[in-house]
Amino acid sequence: MPELPEVETVRRVLDRRYRGKIIAAVSVGRPTFYRAPSARAVRLLTGGRISGFRREGKYLLVDLEGRGCVAFHLGMSGRITVQEDGPHARFALRIGGETVRFHDCRRFGRVGCPLPILGPEPGRPGFDAGYLRKILRGRAAPVKALIMNQALIAGLGNIYATEALHLAGVRPGRAGKSLNRAEIGKLARAARRVLALGVELGGATLDDESFLDPLGRPGSMQKRVKVYGRRTCGTCGGPLQGTRRRIAGRASLFCAACQS
Ligand SMILES: [Zn+2]
């Protein structure tokens, strides 16, 4: 699933390329095979002039001059591709002689979806150690599940939550309420740092996910991860272990030497 850095990488490419341009046509392919975009979204997009692309958490939004905006959720792989032209069975936009194609409409991708309530995101106003303390206080749920809850904090998914917890030295399965003040301060800084690094490196292109930017370029965050998708800790070289219980549906790795 693309997380904040991957969606931001897509946003930057699309914004640079299409800001100010008009969406000449919208093709919806055969909506029986995926969740069709809303009629309102198609109406807003068709003939609209793009005033820019924005991002809220893991959602990509296109602003259309005088028409409001349409939100996209990129689905499992986060793939949007730019093609000179060609057949497109599913959702695609024609902009300036190019086809911008959305690949994952079948796998949780959505076009014209309502934006859910999102918490503040690390690196933007509203997110700091004080805020993190407030949302962890009294919570028995695993800290990893809490920081991946988009209504509490926007942007962290499995990769970046795993890395932020490792950088902060905190095990993923610990109860939110068990973190002390110093650990919460470290975790707030770590969340900002791993997301900023992910954006700087153009996202993570791992074996089990196929993230590429709209021009087909991979990111390089995968070379800097210390835990996610690895067998040994990238900091101390020790073996990694998984939490006994799954967190948010996934086994969660950590290093017993670096994280307490
Ligand atoms: Zn370690």
Side-chain angles (χ1 to χ4, degrees), residues 159-168 194 224-228:
I159 301 172
Y160 296 91
T162 297
E163 293 300 311
L165 286 162
H166 180 267
L167 183 59
V194 296
R224 302 285 289 273
V225 295
K226 306 285 190 202
V227 177
Y228 189 88

Side-chain angles (χ1 to χ4, degrees), residues 26 29 53 60 80 106-107 109 131 169 195 199 202 209 222 225 239 248 252:
V26 176
F53 286 87
L60 180 68
I80 286 183
R106 290 167 78 177
R107 297 196 300 159
Y131 175 75
L195 289 174
V199 169
E209 329 219 339
Q222 68 280 3
V225 295
S252 288

Side-chain angles (χ1 to χ4, degrees), residues 166 233 236 255 258:
H166 180 267
C233 172
C236 73
C255 170
C258 295

